[in-house]
Amino acid sequence: MPEMKPDYRPQESTKDYDTVRRTTCTNQCESGCGMKIFLKEGRIVDIMGDETHPLSRGGLCSKGTSQFQRYYDPLRVHYPQIRKSLDDPYQRVSWDEAIDFVAERLTLLRQRYGPESLAIFRTGRASMGQKVGGGRFGHFFGTPNVFGQGPICCESPGAAMNYVFGAEGFGRLMNPSPDWKNARCILMVGTEMASQEVITYRAILDAKDAGAKIIGVDTRFNSSMSKADLFLMVRNNTDTALFMAMANIIIQEQLYDKKFVDKWVYGFDEYKEACREWTPEKAERVTMVDRNLIIKAARLFASSKPAMATGCLGTAQQYNSNNTNRSIAALLALTGNIGIKGGGWNWLHNCRPPLSYGHDTHDLPEPRRPVIADNLLPWGDNSVPVIINAMLYGKPYPIRGLIWNGNHLPQFPNVTKTERALRNNLITVHLSIYPNHTYHFAHASFPIAMGMETESICHHGNNRLIQWHNKVIEYQHEHRPDLFFYAKLAQKLGFGDKFPWLTNNDTDVDEKGFTNWLLNEDHMTRGMSSFNLDPEHNPRGGIMWPAETEAEATYQDPEATLRGKWIMYREGDPYPGTDSRFPTPSGKIELASPALEKLGWDRVPRHREGSESWIANPERARKYPISLNTCRITASFHEGGHWWPWADELIPDRYIQIHPELAKILGIEDGDTVVLENDRGSIDGPAWVTEMVPPWGCWVNFGFDRYQPFHPYETVNVVIDDIIKDPVYGQIQWKSMAVRVYLKGTDGTMAASMIHDYLKKKYPNLFNDDGVLLGTYKDRNWDYEEKEPWVDPFSGAMAVAGLKTGE
Ligand code: SF4
């Protein structure tokens, strides 16, 4: 490992402390910073960055340094609570009483509806106890409906890469961020990493300092894009057209790497033909990006080897998610930028190893009913809305029980509909940190220990990294880890032997033993353990997966600053567990995918208009003429941030960004209260009048809910559709919903009409289909009607009945 640069000075606390512990920042983002925790008599008095950590190099973002407020937050949920109905107040009970209550309802649920009627959800920020423990519990309970966060987060790109490059599970990040400084060009798409993944963004700055040119592509200008040498503001959901146009230029101008393509690319001729229609002129009309910028970006990318691509949610949360990501991968493949230093498809978040719920779950009989799913992929997470509909309408079969963590509810699409659906449940359990929106729609709440109160691994998906976080402080109040909940509940339901990790007379749980068990269950992580990961007695920074043996969990390259596999898909280096560089059916990078074609999707990428664009739905555009984009910024990472004061102060308000031209038409001044709405819901908040958004779009930061203590705002997700989504993976279209914005107190219909007419005059192409494909909209067939209203046997409350989707 190279010597650490001298400017990473050891940081010394000025506080009165008696102990320093080293650990890893958990579950606040995917950067995975190293931390030094200063303690006095077992209590945190200071938090600083670990200067010996190869990624964070002593840096922490505001969420890292302020985390002591998170642990000692008096607003946290401190003890178990239950209630018979959502209309009753919670009652404080003991852990055993609360477990008895849940077990009783789950037993009733199993008798009445079958075990498949229980769904278990995890967030990306969940502990291993929730991710693996929850999944394992679900399998032994007998439900296939164990769901990850993927479709409401950003796993679709990883799923697309599985088909392009070949991988076990999700196609994963290739080159770690310390390698990015070797790139001469970085294509940075659909991300606000400077705000959300603060420390990882330093890798972009390092590359820029070393001379790399940055091509930024986003629907909105943001702090990350401010460092771009070329910035392409693309119309929502049209990235596929943009990247196919760039590919067309690269191919037509013979700028591609012919040798690499001949040897390693499958489907080149088909892709070349598919791209041919995307001339710069047509691409400009569809994407709203100037044709000269498209040409410039294509030439810059193709002539700057090595070049890499990175990005995040912007490429995921759209109808074209699968094809957008395949078309980005195609740019890398055409230019031979795979498996080399400074190259690679290096996506944020999308590099978690496969999760195993235990080999013994494979011996279980098949559940009586299959997992509820409506996406094309037969593997990976299933789309979220199917659960909403199964709870609300009981189709294709009822879901009447739910266990989830974090703050899922305001992060779901169509939140009002989800709230109605939750009212139908016999039992909803919230594994609580805060009394947030989700907590208020549960029957049982358990006080969950987190981060430094627990010990286990954390995945840091920006670098294919697994790190260890240490238990630094004792549990407070009645907090216990998620795993404790599942172990106690399994014991009560008669399969406690599958959770042999309870300790101290069943008052605690052995998280270290559990984590070593799960690392050993999957061949991709078998070379790791608490012993070689713990930052207190190992080189900092954890180990990059895959590491099938301990021997692989070492520095594998002279340049490596992290242990483990440094660069994926190198020539002569077979993909783990295979004898092929690219473990696709053809053994090559597949720009044409027979496997996706077999699933009913596009053999080669194509652009399709999303469900709520002006072209796809002109009638809707009259009522809701602006395209909404949402994303989180620093404080708003899942349920954190807004519950502790220092982080909340950074982003106290949920802004509605609109362009100055629209503001002028509507008589809106910066800071005025404006309404944003469509037929699903409505929010209001301060206007931020700015050219960061285009005239046809607006932007809202998410991560708020109406139960937050300091700045409660309704979640923007009340306006998001739950039905039409990326058909392959089920990714929700958070980046392209049709809405209208107007000054509060004025007429929304009139405002919509004024905006529509203005945009139509100024941008006729926005309303011109020009022969582009529309989305398939097959999911609109979800037209359920509840024939037999559900009656809650405990409260007698009638379920909402007779609703149809799309209401
Ligand atoms: S950048 Fe991410 S990992 Fe680092 S301190 Fe901030 S939240 Fe934690």
Side-chain angles (χ1 to χ4, degrees):
M1 178 185 173
E3 245 177 70
M4 202 57 70
K5 283 190 190 171
D7 57 324
Y8 307 135
R9 296 185 314 275
Q11 299 184 74
E12 182 55 62
S13 174
T14 55
K15 302 279 171 57
D16 178 22
Y17 66 89
D18 55 36
T19 309
V20 184
R21 298 288 309 276
R22 286 183 195 267
T23 190
T24 310
C25 183
T26 56
N27 287 345
Q28 291 303 302
C29 88
E30 300 281 335
S31 291
C33 299
M35 286 177 149
K36 289 193 302 194
I37 313 298
F38 298 83
L39 300 141
K40 175 78 174 176
E41 293 168 4
R43 196 174 164 88
I44 301 170
V45 293
D46 214 350
I47 299 176
M48 287 186 165
D50 184 344
E51 66 282 351
T52 64
H53 193 283
L55 294 174
S56 55
R57 302 175 297 190
L60 293 176
C61 81
S62 45
K63 273 181 298 185
T65 49
S66 64
Q67 264 184 42
F68 64 95
Q69 293 188 335
R70 180 177 176 227
Y71 292 104
Y72 301 127
D73 191 340
L75 299 172
R76 277 177 70 179
V77 171
H78 289 320
Y79 40 78
Q81 298 164 87
I82 59 171
R83 55 182 170 179
K84 287 183 175 174
S85 128
L86 299 190
D87 299 320
D88 295 332
Y90 272 124
Q91 290 181 333
R92 179 178 177 173
V93 293
S94 69
W95 263 90
D96 283 333
E97 286 170 314
I99 290 287
D100 286 349
F101 171 81
V102 174
E104 191 182 301
R105 290 237 172 160
L106 287 182
T107 303
L108 185 63
L109 176 110
R110 184 155 52 185
Q111 286 165 357
R112 192 169 290 174
Y113 304 104
E116 309 85 2
S117 60
L118 172 67
I120 297 175
F121 260 104
R122 61 171 180 268
T123 67
R125 306 276 70 74
S127 69
M128 286 298 131
Q130 167 68 349
K131 285 179 180 169
V132 175
R136 184 170 171 77
F137 177 90
H139 278 72
F140 284 103
F141 184 79
T143 179
N145 291 310
V146 174
F147 291 80
Q149 75 287 354
I152 57 169
C153 189
C154 58
E155 291 282 29
S156 173
M161 292 311 106
N162 173 291
Y163 291 90
V164 177
F165 297 110
E168 183 175 332
F170 296 95
R172 302 297 183 173
L173 170 141
M174 297 164 185
N175 299 28
S177 60
D179 174 68
W180 298 2
K181 65 181 182 308
N182 294 318
R184 288 185 57 219
C185 181
I186 297 178
L187 177 62
M188 185 171 64
V189 190
T191 177
E192 174 48 318
M193 71 168 98
S195 171
Q196 295 164 19
E197 309 284 340
V198 181
I199 299 299
T200 301
Y201 192 67
R202 283 168 56 165
I204 297 281
L205 301 181
D206 288 347
K208 196 169 166 69
D209 284 349
K213 297 290 183 204
I214 314 291
I215 303 171
V217 178
D218 207 301
T219 56
R220 164 183 172 263
F221 187 74
N222 60 35
S223 53
S224 308
M225 297 299 154
S226 70
K227 297 296 178 191
D229 296 278
L230 282 185
F231 174 61
L232 285 63
M233 189 183 274
V234 66
R235 180 165 72 86
N236 313 46
N237 191 50
T238 63
D239 317 47
T240 307
L242 174 68
F243 298 126
M244 290 182 78
M246 285 174 66
N248 193 27
I249 293 159
I250 290 169
I251 294 168
Q252 299 306 328
E253 296 187 4
Q254 300 283 319
L255 299 175
Y256 67 98
D257 185 336
K258 190 164 186 320
K259 208 167 141 199
F260 183 88
V261 168
D262 286 348
K263 187 168 180 190
W264 293 114
V265 172
Y266 172 86
F268 171 72
D269 289 336
E270 286 177 75
Y271 192 61
K272 179 180 166 185
E273 265 320 293
C275 291
R276 197 182 289 279
E277 69 169 302
W278 290 105
T279 60
E281 293 72 26
K282 180 169 177 179
E284 180 184 277
R285 286 199 299 278
V286 170
T287 66
M288 304 297 285
V289 178
D290 183 295
R291 68 191 72 177
N292 294 312
L293 265 183
I294 299 173
I295 295 168
K296 213 168 166 183
R299 290 178 183 161
L300 176 62
F301 189 79
S303 61
S304 310
K305 204 166 183 176
M308 57 159 270
T310 185
C312 197
L313 276 68
T315 70
Q317 297 174 349
Q318 52 167 286
Y319 187 85
N320 280 326
S321 174
N322 180 271
N323 286 341
T324 287
N325 281 282
R326 290 165 73 200
S327 62
I328 295 168
L331 289 175
L332 293 161
L334 290 171
T335 51
N337 277 304
I338 298 297
I340 60 171
K341 281 180 190 168
W345 182 88
N346 304 321
W347 240 239
L348 306 183
H349 293 208
N350 274 267
C351 47
R352 293 159 188 280
L355 289 179
S356 168
Y357 301 134
H359 285 122
D360 50 354
T361 58
H362 302 158
D363 305 330
L364 289 165
E366 282 287 305
R368 285 181 320 164
R369 292 183 284 203
V371 63
I372 297 179
D374 65 350
N375 45 351
L376 293 175
L377 275 195
W379 57 276
D381 292 330
N382 294 299
S383 69
V384 165
V386 291
I387 291 300
I388 305 174
N389 287 302
M391 287 193 295
L392 193 52
Y393 305 109
K395 308 280 180 59
Y397 60 81
I399 293 291
R400 297 290 185 231
L402 183 60
I403 303 174
W404 56 0
N405 70 316
N407 196 9
H408 268 112
L409 177 49
Q411 293 165 25
F412 261 44
N414 212 336
V415 174
T416 312
K417 179 177 170 184
T418 311
E419 287 178 349
R420 291 202 305 265
L422 283 165
R423 290 204 159 270
N424 282 359
N425 273 1
L426 181 57
I427 176 72
T428 300
V429 176
H430 186 225
L431 302 176
S432 307
I433 291 174
Y434 301 111
N436 53 29
H437 196 158
T438 312
Y439 161 95
H440 284 278
F441 281 78
H443 300 96
S445 156
F446 289 85
I448 294 302
M450 60 177 166
M452 293 182 215
E453 298 164 333
T454 64
E455 60 181 343
S456 187
I457 55 166
C458 34
H459 295 154
H460 289 122
N462 296 351
N463 282 291
R464 249 190 309 118
L465 199 58
I466 293 185
Q467 298 195 77
W468 189 263
H469 65 93
N470 275 310
K471 183 173 167 71
V472 171
I473 54 175
E474 294 304 318
Y475 303 134
Q476 303 162 77
H477 306 274
E478 296 183 32
H479 300 137
R480 289 292 182 277
D482 298 289
L483 181 65
F484 181 72
F485 164 80
Y486 286 110
K488 291 282 280 185
L489 190 58
Q491 187 184 54
K492 189 76 196 170
L493 289 170
F495 51 96
D497 58 317
K498 306 300 177 192
F499 283 79
W501 298 290
L502 286 173
T503 59
N504 289 349
N505 289 329
D506 300 345
T507 60
D508 203 351
V509 71
D510 176 12
E511 289 186 285
K512 189 177 279 188
F514 163 74
T515 310
N516 283 324
W517 166 82
L518 75 90
L519 285 168
N520 195 46
E521 283 294 285
D522 195 283
H523 74 103
M524 289 285 198
T525 53
R526 203 161 284 152
M528 305 177 197
S529 66
S530 58
F531 186 74
N532 63 9
L533 285 168
D534 187 344
E536 302 232 72
H537 51 257
N538 282 290
R540 318 288 182 244
I543 297 167
M544 298 176 75
W545 69 277
E548 296 185 293
T549 63
E550 271 198 70
E552 287 179 333
T554 54
Y555 296 100
Q556 294 200 350
D557 187 290
E559 279 194 19
T561 53
L562 294 165
R563 291 176 289 164
K565 201 169 182 61
W566 188 241
I567 291 173
M568 298 287 283
Y569 299 109
R570 274 184 156 147
E571 187 152 17
D573 185 9
Y575 190 86
T578 75
D579 55 7
S580 175
R581 180 183 181 186
F582 298 107
T584 55
S586 65
K588 296 182 177 187
I589 300 170
E590 297 200 343
L591 301 193
S593 173
L596 282 170
E597 184 181 32
K598 204 168 162 194
L599 291 176
W601 189 238
D602 298 325
R603 182 178 164 89
V604 292
R606 314 170 79 175
H607 164 71
R608 293 170 191 274
E609 281 294 308
S611 61
E612 302 213 351
S613 83
W614 303 267
I615 294 170
N617 203 333
E619 279 314 301
R620 192 166 176 77
R622 288 189 173 279
K623 287 197 270 182
Y624 308 111
I626 313 179
S627 195
L628 169 68
N629 179 5
T630 71
C631 90
R632 59 191 168 210
I633 40 185
T634 310
S636 313
F637 212 83
H638 291 223
E639 70 175 328
H642 294 292
W643 286 84
W644 73 88
W646 283 10
D648 181 73
E649 278 174 22
L650 285 171
I651 318 282
D653 287 310
R654 194 211 48 215
Y655 301 101
I656 298 171
Q657 283 191 334
I658 59 164
H659 192 273
E661 287 173 22
L662 288 197
K664 195 171 169 198
I665 292 169
L666 302 173
I668 295 169
E669 301 273 340
D670 203 40
D672 280 349
T673 300
V674 293
V675 177
L676 180 149
E677 68 184 13
N678 62 16
D679 47 357
R680 297 181 198 101
S682 172
I683 61 169
D684 62 31
W688 179 350
V689 178
T690 172
E691 291 183 348
M692 289 169 72
V693 289
W696 61 81
C698 64
W699 173 87
V700 175
N701 46 331
F702 71 58
F704 290 86
D705 82 42
R706 71 179 86 119
Y707 295 96
Q708 281 167 0
F710 308 117
H711 298 93
Y713 281 101
E714 181 64 279
T715 170
V716 64
N717 294 333
V718 294
V719 304
I720 304 291
D721 187 26
D722 62 308
I723 302 294
I724 296 182
K725 50 209 174 285
D726 142 45
V728 181
Y729 186 68
Q731 201 89 54
I732 308 295
Q733 300 181 87
W734 309 105
K735 307 296 188 199
S736 51
M737 284 292 103
V739 297
R740 64 188 176 205
V741 176
Y742 57 96
L743 188 64
K744 192 165 184 179
T746 63
D747 185 332
T749 308
M750 177 89 78
S753 175
M754 287 161 67
I755 297 169
H756 179 270
D757 293 349
Y758 174 77
L759 291 177
K760 191 155 187 181
K761 194 164 167 207
K762 180 162 181 166
Y763 304 106
N765 288 337
L766 278 179
F767 300 83
N768 171 10
D769 71 10
D770 199 23
V772 298
L773 282 174
L774 303 184
T776 58
Y777 308 120
K778 72 178 181 61
D779 298 343
R780 271 292 175 210
N781 294 332
W782 286 75
D783 189 19
Y784 292 149
E785 192 168 1
E786 186 74 69
K787 301 286 187 219
E788 295 168 15
W790 157 255
V791 180
D792 181 336
F794 295 91
S795 69
M798 292 291 288
V800 178
L803 296 168
K804 287 180 192 287
T805 52
E807 287 183 352

